[in-house]
Amino acid sequence: MKKIVAALLVLVCLFALCACANTDQTPDGMQNVALESANYYLYVSKNWIPTSYNVSGAKAHTAENAPNILATVYYPEEQLTPTSYWENECLVEYQAVFENFTVIEAEVAETLGGKDAKAYLFSYTFGATVYQCKQVITVYDFNVYVLTYTAVATEYNNFVADFDAAVDYFTFK
């Protein structure tokens, strides 16, 4: 009888250890750079440097104007869609603020965190520098989530695959 009880205790302990062994869902080669208070996980390459300010995101390297990935949340007063958010908020603001603002691609079907999303690719000039930006926008629990990749236009293609991976692995808690 003692042997049976001991064997059962060993099995229970092994089961408990196995169940707790790997609760980290971070994909291989990636890190979560979302704020602890965020209701999502933002996974980027381990090669990227997490932002040092109170925002979910990371940058590709330490140089000035380094490509970056940021996640932001907008809390609207009325129900929005990715398209209405882009047209009524983003587009209006970007056209007012940025010189040479040009939409390259709009309304590209995408998913973000398992939700239907829209992707937008655009360029603009800020100071003497030309930037290229890609945003993926979705709505979840009434809120608008925007994942943005910004890079100097000449560096954009060097890191866009890292952004695409961040979009693919983005998940809501």
Side-chain angles (χ1 to χ4, degrees), residues 6-167:
L8 287 174
L9 284 174
V10 168
L11 287 175
V12 168
C13 288
L14 284 175
F15 178 75
L17 287 173
C18 290
C20 296
N22 189 12
T23 57
D24 184 5
Q25 300 297 312
T26 304
D28 288 340
M30 305 201 65
Q31 62 182 320
N32 178 25
V33 295
L35 293 173
E36 193 172 306
S37 60
N39 69 334
Y40 56 83
Y41 299 102
L42 173 56
Y43 298 110
V44 299
S45 169
K46 281 188 176 180
N47 298 329
W48 284 58
I49 303 161
T51 56
S52 58
Y53 41 94
N54 197 22
V55 119
S56 297
K59 59 185 181 174
H61 49 73
T62 58
E64 188 176 341
N65 293 334
N68 63 73
I69 297 172
L70 297 174
T72 54
V73 183
Y74 177 67
Y75 305 97
E77 293 181 11
E78 74 251 0
Q79 184 67 47
L80 296 175
T81 66
T83 301
S84 65
Y85 179 72
W86 169 261
E87 291 174 352
N88 299 317
E89 301 291 334
C90 300
L91 195 56
V92 171
E93 183 176 336
Y94 299 160
Q95 287 173 332
V97 173
F98 298 128
E99 293 179 36
N100 303 316
F101 175 79
T102 305
V103 176
I104 301 166
E105 292 181 336
E107 294 292 308
V108 177
E110 182 68 76
T111 58
L112 186 64
K115 305 295 177 193
D116 289 339
K118 297 291 182 185
Y120 301 86
L121 177 62
F122 54 95
S123 65
Y124 60 90
T125 303
F126 189 76
T129 306
V130 177
Y131 291 89
Q132 201 160 325
C133 225
K134 185 174 183 182
Q135 290 188 312
V136 178
I137 304 170
T138 194
V139 175
Y140 175 67
D141 276 350
F142 201 75
N143 300 318
V144 179
Y145 292 80
V146 183
L147 198 57
T148 304
Y149 168 58
T150 305
V152 172
T154 56
E155 270 196 285
Y156 180 86
N157 288 331
N158 297 341
F159 297 97
V160 71
D162 289 344
F163 176 71
D164 292 339
V167 170

